[in-house]
Amino acid sequence: LGRQQYSQLGGVVARSLRGIEKDVLIVRDDSTLAGGRFMVCVDGSSYAYKALRNALELAQKFGGSLYVCSAFDVEYHHVVFGNIKDVLSVQASKVFKFEEQEELHNNIIDKGLLKLCQANLKRAQVMAQEFPAVPLTTQILVGKPFQVVMQWVEEVRPSLLVLARHGAHRIDGTDLGSQAENLVRLAPCNVLLIGTVGVRPEDIPWIEEDGVASIPWAPEAEVRI
């Protein structure tokens, strides 16, 4: 009742959802779920695949379609390198071989992150095979995760956005991931925030790449590992 212009989330909701380990449904409109569009984001974590399973079950229950995305940010390490470059002396830059290092990182990190997203979506497709009646659309998003997810939300206009409370980078003691918190506040649609109860690492779908070494290690590297 106390909603004001520009407010993103009610105070009671904001405080309550931090202390609830179970699923929390945040209602923003009265759009029907029957035949609707469901959206979920996966980052490779067990939390994300629990959210995916919930989204698949709901899409099947309500005769809807599912949109699955995985996002990675190519700009972060560019910013880091820019900051390093600004503080290094000319002599230190030569020792650091800055340009060669930056090119190496661009090739390895960008391509590596893309492969991770591709694997995340392939796992989603494996899980979706258990729900053949649910039409599935997958999409890799490039940019700050919550920003590019918001852009896709505006394009797809889902009836329900299903979010994992935490991602792969969860730190012990945290009650809500930063990407989830941004999306919970900003998403214009109904949001289902999936809790941490019953999350198991073994529930992450297995794909062929899991059994193959993706990087050939040098003997010295294998010794150190």
Side-chain angles (χ1 to χ4, degrees):
L1 292 174
R3 182 179 184 181
Q4 301 292 324
Q5 188 179 12
Y6 303 126
S7 64
Q8 297 175 330
L9 203 62
V12 173
V13 175
R15 288 190 293 273
S16 298
L17 64 81
R18 288 186 172 277
I20 299 174
E21 293 184 345
K22 296 183 179 180
D23 301 350
V24 179
L25 176 62
I26 299 163
V27 179
R28 283 201 165 93
D29 60 49
D30 59 355
S31 59
T32 178
L33 297 183
R37 295 179 174 183
F38 297 79
M39 183 184 291
V40 66
C41 316
V42 292
D43 70 341
S45 67
S46 51
Y47 302 106
Y49 288 106
K50 184 173 190 293
L52 173 63
R53 182 168 292 278
N54 277 263
L56 282 163
E57 291 172 351
L58 286 168
Q60 179 173 269
K61 175 74 174 178
F62 290 98
S65 54
L66 182 61
Y67 293 75
V68 184
C69 64
S70 187
F72 71 99
D73 185 2
V74 296
E75 292 300 323
Y76 179 73
H77 64 277
H78 295 172
V79 173
V80 171
F81 266 89
N83 289 337
I84 292 174
K85 187 176 183 180
D86 290 340
V87 299
L88 288 179
S89 65
V90 174
Q91 183 178 3
S93 295
K94 291 179 180 178
V95 173
F96 186 62
K97 296 183 179 179
F98 182 83
E99 291 182 357
E100 292 89 341
Q101 289 282 359
E102 185 172 27
E103 183 179 357
L104 179 66
H105 275 70
N106 289 346
N107 289 332
I108 292 179
I109 295 179
D110 289 353
K111 291 178 181 177
L113 291 172
L114 175 60
K115 287 189 69 175
L116 282 174
C117 282
Q118 291 170 336
N120 293 341
L121 295 180
K122 187 174 289 188
R123 289 188 174 90
Q125 291 169 335
V126 168
M127 185 179 288
Q129 291 173 2
E130 302 174 33
F131 304 84
V134 177
L136 183 71
T137 301
T138 60
Q139 182 69 49
I140 291 176
L141 305 175
V142 181
K144 190 67 175 177
F146 82 89
Q147 290 179 335
V148 291
V149 171
M150 277 296 299
Q151 291 168 359
W152 208 40
V153 165
E154 292 172 359
E155 179 183 338
V156 173
R157 296 186 179 277
S159 307
L160 185 67
L161 174 62
V162 183
L163 294 175
R165 177 178 288 270
H166 301 283
H169 300 132
R170 184 185 185 184
I171 299 172
D172 289 342
T174 56
D175 49 24
L176 186 63
S178 60
Q179 304 300 325
E181 181 168 7
N182 280 325
L183 287 167
V184 164
R185 288 186 172 277
L186 298 173
C189 57
N190 298 324
V191 177
L192 178 61
L193 189 64
I194 301 299
T196 57
V197 178
V199 174
R200 302 181 304 174
E202 58 266 30
D203 290 337
I204 297 176
W206 187 90
I207 57 176
E208 290 184 5
E209 284 87 341
D210 293 337
V212 179
S214 58
I215 299 177
W217 295 101
E220 296 86 350
E222 289 184 339
V223 170
R224 293 197 64 178
I225 291 171

